[in-house]
Amino acid sequence: MQDASATMGNAANDRETADTGPQAGTSTGPASPYPPLALRAPWLGIVFLMLIGLLNYLDRVLPSILAEAIKRDLVLSDMMIGLINGLGFLAIYALASIPIATMSDRGRYNLVISGALAIWSLMTMVGGMVANGWQLALTRSGVALGEAGGMPAAHAFITRHIPAGSRARALSLYTACVPLGTMSGFVVGGVIGEWLGWRNTFLLMGGIGAALALLSLPMFGVKRLQPASNGPETEAPAPSIAPLLRKRSLYLILAGASFMGMGGYTAMAFSPAFLIRIHQMSMGQAGIIFGIAGGCLGIAGLFVTGWLSDRLSQRDRRWWPGLVIATNIVALPLSIAGFMADHLWLAMTGLAANIALATIFQVPLIGALHALAPVALRARVSALLLLATAVLGGLGPLAAGILSDHLQPALGDEALRYALLLVPGAFIAASLCLLAAIPFFAGEIHGGEDE
């Protein structure tokens, strides 16, 4: 896993040796004779985190694939569907992410992982017993509260226990939970939703998550974990966040991530309903075909992007935001075709490309944001990324739902087609923000050096 770093200079080679030395991934405190399994085998820990993240995104997309059934049962408008799948969920997700990430930065990411999983799983189960749309929105806010802790805690684990030269690939492996979870959510939700109904689907998936929360306790332990020693990357505890907040590239990268989130959340919220209304697919058909297409394209793009991030960023760290711009440009025609093409398979390819774009941007931008921050602030930087994507991302489904309702009297079901052009528009805006960040980014990397 170290071949990608062989071309770096002597200083980087020295750092890599330090990173992979005997102390990498171990605690600076007294050694426990029986450390948690994830600390003895960090890559196994990442695989387990990926499984948890898969369930996270599976639970997250359930209301999207089940939207038409929920809409009929609870008598909801597209605006209400957009609120449940967008702003109502993501507002709580955003507000909770920073304080929960602070707990992760202080070595309690093991408890955050287990507790977050338990909360969102129980709230998913409660969601299957609601009587109206507002109650469902409230339970989805509870799911958001739990899910807000998952990603920052996972990033804290990876930062402390994976050497720098392999970190982008570790992030790629973990972030595979996004397309895998999205694919599983659409497929499982579509098939089981047709078989058992949307309420029983919520109950079943929530129960599986609660069982997995119990398994996470022996995997990560329950005692507070001291920050691991990663050679020169080890920082004094609790550095000030003020210098980080003065970096212009931070805000421009977060703005770009916000627009990527806006496009991604909107596509995720309404693509299944689009296939059912415009292309007359059943819930099961839409879930299976769209889920597999989006998941496979997302996984392939994610690992290619992770590999390119490791290779290109060693030459020039500006490739991190640059890589997102490049993928957006290449995929833009497909993004538009997803909503405007009448041919089913061309439309399906475009819809899958939208889901893939909303997945693969995370690895390069996480790398870019972490390069701007000291180690002890990186979980909070990841939380800033969640905050940014949630604030603007949550408005996307709501805006698309309002626009669809407004156009419905004149266009009927076709209204959703034009409302969803908001998705490629958001990806264009993201590219412009990231392009503006590039001139500032290299000079604002933490310490002025590559880490």
Side-chain angles (χ1 to χ4, degrees), residues 219-244:
M219 174 63 70
F220 295 99
V222 296
K223 294 182 179 179
R224 178 173 178 170
L225 301 175
Q226 297 296 324
S229 172
N230 271 330
E233 285 197 345
T234 301
E235 304 273 349
S240 171
I241 199 171
L244 176 64

Short mmCIF file of all heavy atoms in Angstrom, two decimals, residues 219-244:
data_model
loop_
_atom_site.label_atom_id
_atom_site.label_comp_id
_atom_site.label_asym_id
_atom_site.label_seq_id
_atom_site.Cartn_x
_atom_site.Cartn_y
_atom_site.Cartn_z
N MET A 219 -15.81 -4.33 19.42
CA MET A 219 -14.91 -3.95 18.33
C MET A 219 -14.08 -2.72 18.70
O MET A 219 -12.85 -2.69 18.47
CB MET A 219 -15.72 -3.70 17.06
CG MET A 219 -14.91 -3.16 15.88
SD MET A 219 -13.62 -4.28 15.29
CE MET A 219 -14.60 -5.57 14.55
N PHE A 220 -14.71 -1.69 19.27
CA PHE A 220 -14.01 -0.44 19.55
C PHE A 220 -13.79 -0.18 21.05
O PHE A 220 -13.09 0.76 21.41
CB PHE A 220 -14.78 0.73 18.94
CG PHE A 220 -14.82 0.69 17.44
CD1 PHE A 220 -15.94 0.20 16.78
CD2 PHE A 220 -13.74 1.11 16.69
CE1 PHE A 220 -15.98 0.14 15.40
CE2 PHE A 220 -13.77 1.05 15.31
CZ PHE A 220 -14.89 0.57 14.66
N GLY A 221 -14.39 -0.98 21.91
CA GLY A 221 -14.23 -0.78 23.34
C GLY A 221 -15.11 0.34 23.86
O GLY A 221 -15.80 1.03 23.11
N VAL A 222 -15.06 0.53 25.18
CA VAL A 222 -15.89 1.56 25.81
C VAL A 222 -15.06 2.57 26.58
O VAL A 222 -15.55 3.64 26.94
CB VAL A 222 -16.93 0.93 26.77
CG1 VAL A 222 -17.91 0.06 26.00
CG2 VAL A 222 -16.25 0.10 27.86
N LYS A 223 -13.76 2.28 26.83
CA LYS A 223 -12.92 3.22 27.56
C LYS A 223 -12.45 4.34 26.65
O LYS A 223 -12.33 4.17 25.43
CB LYS A 223 -11.71 2.50 28.14
CG LYS A 223 -12.08 1.47 29.22
CD LYS A 223 -10.84 0.84 29.80
CE LYS A 223 -11.21 -0.15 30.91
NZ LYS A 223 -10.01 -0.81 31.48
N ARG A 224 -12.17 5.49 27.25
CA ARG A 224 -11.68 6.63 26.48
C ARG A 224 -10.34 6.27 25.84
O ARG A 224 -9.45 5.71 26.48
CB ARG A 224 -11.50 7.84 27.39
CG ARG A 224 -10.93 9.05 26.67
CD ARG A 224 -10.95 10.27 27.56
NE ARG A 224 -10.37 11.41 26.91
CZ ARG A 224 -10.43 12.65 27.37
NH1 ARG A 224 -11.05 12.88 28.51
NH2 ARG A 224 -9.89 13.64 26.71
N LEU A 225 -10.20 6.61 24.52
CA LEU A 225 -9.00 6.29 23.77
C LEU A 225 -8.10 7.52 23.66
O LEU A 225 -8.56 8.59 23.27
CB LEU A 225 -9.36 5.78 22.37
CG LEU A 225 -10.23 4.52 22.34
CD1 LEU A 225 -10.61 4.19 20.91
CD2 LEU A 225 -9.52 3.34 22.98
N GLN A 226 -6.83 7.36 24.03
CA GLN A 226 -5.88 8.46 23.88
C GLN A 226 -5.52 8.63 22.41
O GLN A 226 -5.53 7.67 21.64
CB GLN A 226 -4.61 8.17 24.69
CG GLN A 226 -4.85 8.07 26.19
CD GLN A 226 -5.33 9.39 26.77
OE1 GLN A 226 -4.89 10.45 26.34
NE2 GLN A 226 -6.24 9.31 27.73
N PRO A 227 -5.18 9.87 21.97
CA PRO A 227 -4.76 10.06 20.58
C PRO A 227 -3.56 9.19 20.25
O PRO A 227 -2.64 9.06 21.05
CB PRO A 227 -4.41 11.55 20.52
CG PRO A 227 -5.16 12.17 21.64
CD PRO A 227 -5.20 11.13 22.73
N ALA A 228 -3.60 8.55 19.09
CA ALA A 228 -2.51 7.70 18.67
C ALA A 228 -1.30 8.51 18.26
O ALA A 228 -1.41 9.66 17.87
CB ALA A 228 -2.96 6.79 17.52
N SER A 229 -0.12 7.90 18.31
CA SER A 229 1.10 8.56 17.86
C SER A 229 1.32 8.24 16.40
O SER A 229 1.52 7.11 16.03
CB SER A 229 2.29 8.07 18.68
OG SER A 229 3.50 8.57 18.15
N ASN A 230 1.32 9.26 15.57
CA ASN A 230 1.60 9.09 14.15
C ASN A 230 2.83 9.90 13.77
O ASN A 230 2.85 10.65 12.81
CB ASN A 230 0.41 9.54 13.29
CG ASN A 230 -0.55 8.40 13.04
OD1 ASN A 230 -0.15 7.25 12.98
ND2 ASN A 230 -1.83 8.72 12.92
N GLY A 231 3.86 9.77 14.57
CA GLY A 231 5.12 10.43 14.27
C GLY A 231 4.98 11.93 14.29
O GLY A 231 4.39 12.50 15.20
N PRO A 232 5.53 12.64 13.27
CA PRO A 232 5.51 14.09 13.24
C PRO A 232 4.12 14.69 13.19
O PRO A 232 3.96 15.87 13.42
CB PRO A 232 6.29 14.42 11.96
CG PRO A 232 7.08 13.20 11.66
CD PRO A 232 6.28 12.06 12.17
N GLU A 233 3.08 13.88 12.89
CA GLU A 233 1.74 14.44 12.81
C GLU A 233 1.11 14.64 14.18
O GLU A 233 0.10 15.29 14.29
CB GLU A 233 0.83 13.54 11.98
CG GLU A 233 1.09 13.62 10.49
CD GLU A 233 -0.06 13.07 9.70
OE1 GLU A 233 -0.91 12.39 10.29
OE2 GLU A 233 -0.13 13.34 8.51
N THR A 234 1.68 14.05 15.25
CA THR A 234 1.09 14.18 16.57
C THR A 234 1.12 15.64 17.01
O THR A 234 2.14 16.30 16.92
CB THR A 234 1.83 13.30 17.58
OG1 THR A 234 1.76 11.96 17.14
CG2 THR A 234 1.22 13.43 18.96
N GLU A 235 0.00 16.15 17.47
CA GLU A 235 -0.13 17.55 17.82
C GLU A 235 -0.38 17.72 19.31
O GLU A 235 -0.82 16.80 19.99
CB GLU A 235 -1.33 18.16 17.06
CG GLU A 235 -1.25 18.01 15.55
CD GLU A 235 -0.48 19.12 14.89
OE1 GLU A 235 -0.18 20.12 15.57
OE2 GLU A 235 -0.18 19.01 13.70
N ALA A 236 -0.10 18.91 19.83
CA ALA A 236 -0.50 19.23 21.19
C ALA A 236 -2.02 19.21 21.26
O ALA A 236 -2.70 19.55 20.30
CB ALA A 236 0.03 20.62 21.57
N PRO A 237 -2.57 18.77 22.40
CA PRO A 237 -4.03 18.67 22.48
C PRO A 237 -4.71 20.02 22.40
O PRO A 237 -4.15 21.05 22.80
CB PRO A 237 -4.25 18.01 23.85
CG PRO A 237 -3.01 18.33 24.63
CD PRO A 237 -1.91 18.36 23.63
N ALA A 238 -5.93 19.99 21.87
CA ALA A 238 -6.82 21.15 21.85
C ALA A 238 -6.19 22.41 21.27
O ALA A 238 -6.16 23.45 21.91
CB ALA A 238 -7.34 21.44 23.26
N PRO A 239 -5.67 22.38 20.03
CA PRO A 239 -5.17 23.61 19.43
C PRO A 239 -6.33 24.54 19.10
O PRO A 239 -7.48 24.10 18.96
CB PRO A 239 -4.48 23.12 18.15
CG PRO A 239 -5.19 21.86 17.81
CD PRO A 239 -5.56 21.23 19.12
N SER A 240 -6.03 25.82 18.95
CA SER A 240 -7.07 26.79 18.62
C SER A 240 -7.55 26.59 17.19
O SER A 240 -6.75 26.33 16.28
CB SER A 240 -6.53 28.21 18.79
OG SER A 240 -7.46 29.14 18.29
N ILE A 241 -8.86 26.73 17.01
CA ILE A 241 -9.43 26.60 15.67
C ILE A 241 -9.38 27.92 14.91
O ILE A 241 -9.62 27.97 13.70
CB ILE A 241 -10.88 26.07 15.75
CG1 ILE A 241 -11.33 25.49 14.40
CG2 ILE A 241 -11.83 27.17 16.23
CD1 ILE A 241 -12.65 24.77 14.45
N ALA A 242 -9.02 29.02 15.60
CA ALA A 242 -9.06 30.35 14.99
C ALA A 242 -8.18 30.47 13.75
O ALA A 242 -8.63 31.02 12.73
CB ALA A 242 -8.69 31.41 16.03
N PRO A 243 -6.91 29.98 13.75
CA PRO A 243 -6.11 30.10 12.52
C PRO A 243 -6.74 29.40 11.33
O PRO A 243 -6.66 29.88 10.20
CB PRO A 243 -4.77 29.46 12.91
CG PRO A 243 -4.71 29.58 14.40
CD PRO A 243 -6.13 29.41 14.86
N LEU A 244 -7.37 28.27 11.58
CA LEU A 244 -8.03 27.54 10.49
C LEU A 244 -9.16 28.35 9.89
O LEU A 244 -9.34 28.39 8.67
CB LEU A 244 -8.56 26.21 11.03
CG LEU A 244 -9.38 25.34 10.06
CD1 LEU A 244 -8.52 24.88 8.90
CD2 LEU A 244 -9.99 24.16 10.80
#
